[in-house]
Amino acid sequence: GDFTVRQAIAKHIECEFDFKADPNLIYMTCGAAASLTVSLNALVNTGDEIIVLAPFFPEYRVFVEKAGAKLIEVLCREGDFQIDFDILEKAINDKTKAIIVNSPNNPTGTVFSEDTIIKLASLLNKKQTEYGTDIYIIADEPYREPVYDVSVPYIPKYYNNTIVCYSYSKSLSLPGERIGYIFVSPNISNSGEVYAAVCGAGRSLGFVCAPSLLQYTVGECVDVLPDLM
């Protein structure tokens, strides 16, 4: 992706979320679907497991299985659709490579609370130590902006091994235009290697370069929201 655009996005992340962002760890994509597909192919080895929180966007299954992993469904609590940690803890094992966290959620509209994200980070840190593995959160965030009277926790602030997959389709009212990014948290211990894997996966999947016109559009509009928001 264009470096000046990645710089603009990094500056936006720092200003909006008070979180240090490196433009050299941002990879421009053709929207959230491409971001998820590339991230999964960068992380997954055959036989790995990816946890999804149900109800979930059904295409997650296609993305996960195409990458060679097994999809593990974990039902959220009835009533408020926050994470059921008893079920989640039982689902995590030494094959768990990542959990996809979609907040605000499609289809329920649920926003995971700060308490939920803190408990999730604590659980994953415990399981990483227990199994001696890296477990990633893939934060799927195309719906971050269209929320009302609620705060959406920025997951990289709570958990080091986080990769953010973002799309501008909703925030800039650009459905169908397909532009977004992957942000590899600098707090990942081997963030440079993970980013290199992202770049390699994008190339191997044919996502060679996000449309330049839309990249430059994002660079000019990174801090802008439609009037309806």
Side-chain angles (χ1 to χ4, degrees):
D2 181 82
F3 187 68
T4 60
V5 175
R6 290 185 284 134
Q7 283 181 311
I9 292 170
K11 182 179 179 181
H12 172 79
I13 291 171
E14 292 182 349
C15 293
E16 184 73 14
F17 306 114
D18 191 26
F19 185 82
K20 182 67 176 177
D22 184 349
N24 292 304
L25 295 176
I26 292 172
Y27 180 85
M28 302 304 297
T29 67
C30 299
S35 296
L36 287 163
T37 302
V38 170
S39 296
L40 286 164
N41 278 269
L43 296 176
V44 163
N45 293 308
T46 301
D48 285 343
E49 295 180 358
I50 304 294
I51 292 174
V52 296
L53 302 168
F56 61 91
F57 183 56
E59 289 183 22
Y60 287 169
R61 182 176 298 279
V62 179
F63 302 155
V64 167
E65 293 180 352
K66 182 65 175 177
K70 180 180 179 181
L71 183 139
I72 306 297
E73 295 185 34
V74 169
L75 286 173
C76 289
R77 295 192 314 229
E78 293 186 15
D80 64 0
F81 295 111
Q82 296 292 311
I83 296 173
D84 189 320
F85 285 98
D86 291 335
I87 298 176
L88 177 59
E89 183 163 10
K90 293 174 183 176
I92 299 172
N93 58 55
D94 61 352
K95 296 181 180 178
T96 303
K97 181 55 65 76
I99 176 171
I100 299 176
V101 176
N102 178 214
S103 177
N105 178 265
N106 177 4
T108 67
T110 298
V111 173
F112 290 133
S113 68
E114 184 178 42
D115 286 345
T116 292
I117 297 303
I118 290 171
K119 288 181 68 175
L120 175 60
S122 177
L123 174 61
L124 294 182
N125 282 324
K126 183 180 79 170
K127 290 299 182 179
Q128 287 185 132
T129 300
E130 179 180 346
Y131 295 118
T133 59
D134 288 319
I135 302 175
Y136 296 88
I137 290 179
I138 300 176
D140 181 25
E141 297 198 338
Y143 304 101
R144 168 171 284 280
E145 276 72 32
V147 296
Y148 305 91
D149 301 321
V150 63
S151 177
V152 182
Y154 192 60
I155 295 177
K157 298 180 72 170
Y158 300 87
Y159 186 67
N160 287 346
N161 282 349
T162 298
I163 297 173
V164 176
C165 295
Y166 187 80
S167 169
Y168 288 94
S169 294
K170 281 73 180 177
S171 62
L172 292 181
S173 293
L174 291 173
E177 297 297 344
R178 316 313 305 148
I179 186 68
Y181 64 81
I182 297 167
F183 172 47
V184 175
S185 171
N187 292 335
I188 296 175
S189 61
N190 59 337
S191 59
E193 294 178 10
V194 173
Y195 183 75
V198 164
C199 295
R203 185 94 185 168
S204 69
L205 291 166
F207 294 114
V208 177
C209 186
S212 58
L213 176 61
L214 291 173
Q215 288 193 50
Y216 296 138
T217 301
V218 165
E220 293 293 326
C221 301
V222 70
D223 296 317
V224 176
L225 292 175
D227 290 343
L228 60 87
M229 295 184 188

